[in-house]
Amino acid sequence: MNVRAPKGTADMLPPVARAWEYMTRTAQELFARYGYEPVYTPLFEHTDVFVRSIGEATDIVSKEMYTFEDRGGRSITLRPEGTASVVRAAIEHNMVPTGSSAKIYYSGPMFRYERPQKGRMRQFWQIGLEALGMPEPSVDAEVIAVLMEFYERIGIPRENMRLLVNSMGDAFCRPPYRDKIADYIRDHADSLCEECVRRAASNPLRAFDCKNPGCREVMSTAPLLRDELCPECEEHYGAVKSYLDALGIAYEEDPSLVRGLDYYTRTVFEVQADAGLGSQNAIGGGGRYDRLMEEFGGPATPGLGFALGFERTLLALEAAGVEIPSHPIAEVYVARVDSSVALRAFEIAASLRSAGIASELDHQARSLKSQFKQADRLGARLTVIVGPEELTVGEATVRDMLTKSETRVAIDALPAHVMEMLGA
Ligand code: AMP
């Protein structure tokens, strides 16, 4: 049997899993402060959910989805991102009745059949949120503010990040602009890569994302949507920027930021981190999708959100030298002098755990010396030594693992005593 995890996936071993939990905990606390509630949707959906929302001509739908037929003959896809599922669930459960709003967040694994490299996986983890039912530009600024606050809270210094913003227009001003870019691509077909030329018909704006230096040069002089926004989009974009200014959030306008999903309208944004990530330097991003719910057959409901990638955020944290706070596996280790006291040692550990103290004990009849070693390995501050002699008078010895000083304590008083010594 092959014991290696499939290409593009990784086991989350304790240090990384702890970092994931730390990030989700930080997100839960922060998002709650902004009124967001958790939602868990299935890891797979009917394929249509993603094709209809993300768009047939996108990289995700055209070549990156894990799609298969289930035993009942349905076309099923492992979710490549979270928004489509959340919007599907919001419609199914009527979470945003007309005139109301909903604030939702999610976290979990996503699946894309991409070429794996540093910071790019086939199963990767995202945390994201969606604000549904609110067309106002202040919501765009608030969503961006939550994202930036999240990164700062977990410890990425602000100066290590760039916040890019742009407006992608709406159903009025984007289609004519798309045609214009398609013409521009055709006019410059000789200097562009095959893929960009092919995209002229299906998804011309993606040419702005092409990494090919020749394409970049050609696209650097292409007409910009910023210059062709309709007055409503122009006003919305201007207001978003004013709100960001009011919050003191620094951003750079990037008129070529188009992001790869079809459903975005108006505001889009991306956060890049300087983390030796090369081209995979986007640690999070998102945007507004005012027509998505309607396209799904739901009521016309505006929305926007972001998703941040765990793996790349972790690389950015490592680059900034941030240590993930971790708790000792055991605060207290319960050691036993010999196996005659095994049952009492077991009870003592249980009473400490009931009192809320992380405790570990020896199950393996190790020597006292190796029990102390194990206590140190687990990070225990104290060891409770249970011996037959002390037990006869209802006591045990508490050893401070740093100073090595020992005190005899009545077993009944142990939890309270230990808690005091731990300064809890
Ligand atoms: P997207 O859904 O493409 O807007 O991605 C949002 C965030 O998810 C990105 O900024 C990345 O941090 C992360 N991400 C996207 N694709 C991958 C991937 N294949 N591997 C790791 N992280 C990813």
Side-chain angles (χ1 to χ4, degrees), residues 112 114 119-121 124 126 259 282-285 307 309 311-312:
R112 294 182 197 172
E114 295 200 77
R120 190 163 73 192
M121 307 287 291
F124 56 98
Q126 283 188 341
R259 300 188 48 77
I283 56 173
E311 289 79 3
R312 293 184 204 171

Side-chain angles (χ1 to χ4, degrees), residues 302-316:
L304 85 155
F306 67 66
L308 62 95
F310 167 69
E311 289 79 3
R312 293 184 204 171
T313 304
L314 188 60
L315 290 169

Side-chain angles (χ1 to χ4, degrees), residues 130-206:
E130 315 292 347
L132 304 176
M134 293 169 281
E136 294 79 11
S138 51
V139 186
D140 306 39
E142 189 182 278
V143 163
I144 294 173
V146 183
L147 180 61
M148 299 313 288
E149 192 174 341
F150 171 81
Y151 290 130
E152 286 182 49
R153 267 194 172 210
I154 58 169
I156 304 180
R158 187 60 181 84
E159 61 273 17
N160 288 19
M161 296 182 283
R162 293 170 69 203
L163 166 62
L164 307 177
V165 298
N166 189 25
S167 173
M168 295 196 54
D170 64 8
F172 297 102
C173 53
R174 192 155 77 213
Y177 173 73
R178 260 177 73 118
D179 293 345
K180 205 172 203 174
I181 292 298
D183 288 343
Y184 182 84
I185 291 174
R186 282 188 208 103
D187 291 347
H188 294 79
D190 291 350
S191 330
L192 291 164
C193 74
E194 251 174 55
E195 180 134 24
C196 284
V197 175
R198 199 168 42 76
R199 278 184 184 139
S202 55
N203 197 357
L205 301 194
R206 286 288 283 160

Side-chain angles (χ1 to χ4, degrees), residues 6-84:
K7 191 171 170 187
T9 70
D11 296 309
M12 267 203 199
L13 300 183
V16 177
R18 259 199 296 274
W20 166 248
E21 292 190 347
Y22 167 65
M23 277 191 211
T24 43
R25 236 184 355 260
T26 306
Q28 283 159 6
E29 284 168 20
L30 176 67
F31 297 175
R33 201 147 45 72
Y34 284 84
Y36 287 85
E37 294 184 286
V39 154
Y40 289 86
T41 59
L43 299 197
F44 56 83
E45 298 273 355
H46 293 293
T47 299
D48 257 6
V49 167
F50 304 116
V51 175
R52 299 249 322 258
S53 56
I54 299 169
E56 226 146 332
T58 58
D59 284 355
I60 293 182
V61 171
S62 63
K63 50 187 185 201
E64 295 172 0
M65 294 208 303
Y66 280 89
T67 299
F68 57 94
E69 196 170 281
D70 75 2
R71 286 169 195 273
R74 303 168 194 90
S75 180
I76 293 292
T77 295
L78 300 185
R79 63 178 186 192
E81 56 106 51
T83 303

Side-chain angles (χ1 to χ4, degrees), residues 274-318:
D274 182 21
L277 281 164
S279 59
Q280 308 304 315
N281 63 351
I283 56 173
R288 187 168 267 291
Y289 45 83
D290 286 346
R291 291 171 55 82
L292 184 56
M293 280 190 72
E294 224 176 326
E295 275 163 25
F296 261 81
T301 309
L304 85 155
F306 67 66
L308 62 95
F310 167 69
E311 289 79 3
R312 293 184 204 171
T313 304
L314 188 60
L315 290 169
L317 279 175
E318 281 167 5

Side-chain angles (χ1 to χ4, degrees), residues 89-133:
I91 296 171
E92 178 175 340
H93 306 288
N94 192 24
M95 290 171 74
V96 202
T98 311
S100 70
S101 60
K103 287 176 148 186
I104 294 163
Y105 72 86
Y106 60 85
S107 61
M110 306 293 159
F111 308 87
R112 294 182 197 172
Y113 192 79
E114 295 200 77
R115 202 162 35 80
Q117 64 182 74
K118 192 176 180 189
R120 190 163 73 192
M121 307 287 291
R122 291 182 172 170
Q123 174 176 316
F124 56 98
W125 295 69
Q126 283 188 341
I127 299 177
L129 59 74
E130 315 292 347
L132 304 176

